[in-house]
Amino acid sequence: MDSPKYSLAKYISGIVKEYTDRTPLHVLNSTHFVELISTITTDLLISFDVTSLFTKMPIPDSVSMIEQLLEHNKKSLDLASLIDKCLTSTCFVFQGKFFKRISEAAMGLQLSPVVTNTFMESSKSVALQNQHLKPKHGLSM
């Protein structure tokens, strides 16, 4: 993990993370989730279950969402282009052949969880805006 891209991705993830997971109802782990829901007596439960988010996350959409988040917080939009480069320039070797990952987030890249969390927060927000029945509590993990 001693590459320039890894260091850049780690640095960028620290900046972007400042603007994500900000809600007071952000869930840290399953124990915290149980603590939070134990006091709720009636409400609507909505679950956004995702399988293989890193490998299915649409990078252009995710970068666009981060760009909007940074713009809203008056941060440089140049950061979004760096995020795009970090996410789309991952190379690896498999069975002696070199491959370039261009449409999936890399599992070992520190930036990937931050980007996928931002994508999920934004997607959840859009999905809930268009619903007639809305939960009173919005927990996000």
Side-chain angles (χ1 to χ4, degrees), residues 86-136:
C86 284
L87 293 174
T88 59
S89 64
T90 301
C91 297
F92 62 95
V93 177
F94 179 69
Q95 294 183 341
K97 294 182 182 177
F98 282 92
F99 293 90
K100 182 177 181 184
R101 174 172 285 171
I102 56 171
S103 62
E104 306 161 338
M107 293 295 285
L109 191 62
Q110 190 156 0
L111 184 59
S112 295
V114 176
V115 173
T116 54
N117 286 346
T118 304
F119 176 78
M120 285 303 297
E121 283 181 17
S122 182
S123 298
K124 182 185 86 170
S125 205
V126 169
L128 291 177
Q129 278 178 349
N130 301 317
Q131 299 304 313
H132 295 289
L133 292 174
K134 296 181 183 178
K136 294 174 191 162

Side-chain angles (χ1 to χ4, degrees), residues 2-39:
D2 199 17
S3 71
K5 185 179 83 168
Y6 180 81
S7 298
L8 177 62
K10 184 177 178 180
Y11 174 75
I12 292 171
S13 69
I15 294 171
V16 174
K17 195 169 174 103
E18 289 177 34
Y19 303 102
T20 60
D21 305 337
R22 290 179 142 196
T23 67
L25 297 172
H26 177 73
V27 179
L28 301 173
N29 53 40
S30 57
T31 304
H32 186 223
F33 176 72
V34 170
E35 288 172 15
L36 291 172
I37 66 166
S38 65
T39 59

